[in-house]
Amino acid sequence: MTIENLSINKSFGGWHKQYSHHSKTLNCTMRFAIYIPPQASNEHKVPVLYWLSGLTCTDENFMQKAGAQRLAAELGIAIVAPDTSPRGEDVANDEGYDLGQGAGFYVNATQAPWKQHYQMYDYVVKELPSLIEATFPVSDKRSISGHSMGGHGALTIAMQNPEQYRSVSAFSPICNPINCSWGQKAFTTYLGKDKSNWLQYDASELMKKATVYVPAKVDQGQDDSFLVEQLKPEILNAAAKVSNYPLVLNLHEGYDHSYYFIASFIDEHIRFHAQHLT
């Protein structure tokens, strides 16, 4: 597979690189970023933390705002950040910020016209890791994390593929999308009106029924304006108690939904993943 390097920046002894490639899964050109720590070489392949961003974001938000490179360099962990949806003039879109381009919700769409391109679940789980592992000095040891819509994606992907991920974490995830307006709008559009098809993409529903566990860490700001209506971490916590899922949920007074919150606790998340990756 041909990939094109778009930018390169040295950071904490390693390299932040941005690439584009044609995705067969999404039928369009996609962009991703990767941070390669200084320890990485063909003789020493490093584990990978995949990061999924939230609504309206691209690969750039996390890499530029979270401040994750310093500790990733110290611990020898690569970070990969894909875009949040397919992009392009021929890719279906919507005027709302919470649907269409920038809002793929990490599902495999089944409804026209979305299903032609919106296969973000398969892209993150299958195509992107295969490309990363074939191209860069990284191993097949993977963890996954994300924010908001990306936190939803990280949790659901890890729980549906426990053999592929050593750990999962999330900041301010959409914990119960079948019962919030963001999730209901996206799922109706991408998956259709049959709500039984939504359950496979709901972290709380998956956690409630889980029998194989991926260690999970979730951090949530208590001053998040989306907390009550959209995020619903209390439902995820209740689901974990049903299945005895190894979930650590931390609530933080005064913090909101922004990258100021993520940057404040990203080191804790990277150390959490390092315990399971290395």
Side-chain angles (χ1 to χ4, degrees):
M1 184 181 296
T2 301
I3 67 173
E4 179 184 358
N5 180 236
L6 303 177
S7 68
I8 180 170
N9 304 91
K10 193 166 188 179
S11 178
F12 296 99
W15 296 96
H16 170 273
K17 300 182 179 183
Q18 191 180 55
Y19 291 89
S20 68
H21 74 105
H22 178 76
S23 167
K24 293 182 179 179
T25 303
L26 303 177
N27 297 305
C28 68
T29 298
M30 286 295 287
R31 195 174 72 187
F32 68 87
I34 181 170
Y35 177 71
I36 304 172
Q39 299 91 334
S41 68
N42 289 331
E43 292 74 34
H44 180 72
K45 295 186 176 183
V46 297
V48 184
L49 174 62
Y50 288 84
W51 173 271
L52 306 182
S53 288
L55 290 167
T56 76
C57 291
T58 68
D59 62 288
E60 295 182 342
N61 297 74
F62 178 79
M63 290 300 203
Q64 294 181 7
K65 296 180 179 180
Q69 291 89 344
R70 181 191 61 79
L71 191 57
E74 178 183 324
L75 298 176
I77 297 172
I79 301 174
V80 172
D83 203 347
T84 52
S85 78
R87 308 270 183 177
E89 292 184 1
D90 63 337
V91 175
N93 201 8
D94 187 86
E95 293 181 356
Y97 76 94
D98 53 355
L99 192 68
Q101 296 186 34
F105 268 85
Y106 306 102
V107 303
N108 285 338
T110 59
Q111 306 299 300
W114 309 95
K115 63 182 180 180
Q116 181 180 356
H117 297 286
Y118 284 76
Q119 305 294 313
M120 284 297 294
Y121 177 92
D122 278 353
Y123 177 71
V124 170
V125 173
K126 299 176 182 178
E127 184 179 13
L128 183 61
S130 295
L131 172 61
I132 297 297
E133 290 164 18
T135 308
F136 302 101
V138 302
S139 71
D140 60 0
K141 294 180 180 179
R142 310 171 193 163
S143 290
I144 191 165
S145 184
H147 172 232
S148 195
M149 177 187 72
H152 136 77
L155 289 167
T156 56
I157 284 171
M159 284 189 283
Q160 289 197 70
N161 302 275
E163 73 287 351
Q164 293 189 37
Y165 299 96
R166 302 293 184 92
S167 54
V168 58
S169 74
F171 290 89
S172 317
I174 305 172
C175 295
N176 189 213
I178 66 173
N179 287 313
C180 76
S181 61
W182 278 345
Q184 290 166 349
K185 179 179 180 179
F187 288 3
T188 300
T189 303
Y190 296 146
L191 305 174
K193 296 181 179 179
D194 184 350
K195 295 184 178 181
S196 66
N197 295 325
W198 301 4
L199 300 178
Q200 62 185 310
Y201 299 114
D202 187 292
S204 295
E205 292 294 322
L206 291 171
M207 191 167 283
K208 189 190 311 180
K209 300 174 183 177
T211 57
V212 180
Y213 306 137
V214 179
K217 175 180 176 64
V218 171
D219 283 77
Q220 174 64 58
Q222 289 183 303
D223 281 24
D224 191 320
S225 60
F226 303 114
L227 177 60
V228 176
E229 296 298 326
Q230 305 288 3
L231 306 180
K232 304 181 185 298
E234 70 282 357
I235 297 179
L236 185 71
N237 198 42
K241 291 178 179 178
V242 171
S243 62
N244 292 316
Y245 202 95
L247 168 69
V248 176
L249 172 62
N250 299 309
L251 303 177
H252 301 276
E253 182 180 356
Y255 286 92
D256 59 17
H257 200 69
S258 71
Y259 267 85
Y260 295 108
F261 171 48
I262 295 171
S264 298
F265 297 98
I266 190 62
D267 280 8
E268 293 183 11
H269 281 241
I270 293 175
R271 291 190 187 281
F272 166 75
H273 291 298
Q275 292 175 356
H276 299 282
L277 286 169
T278 58

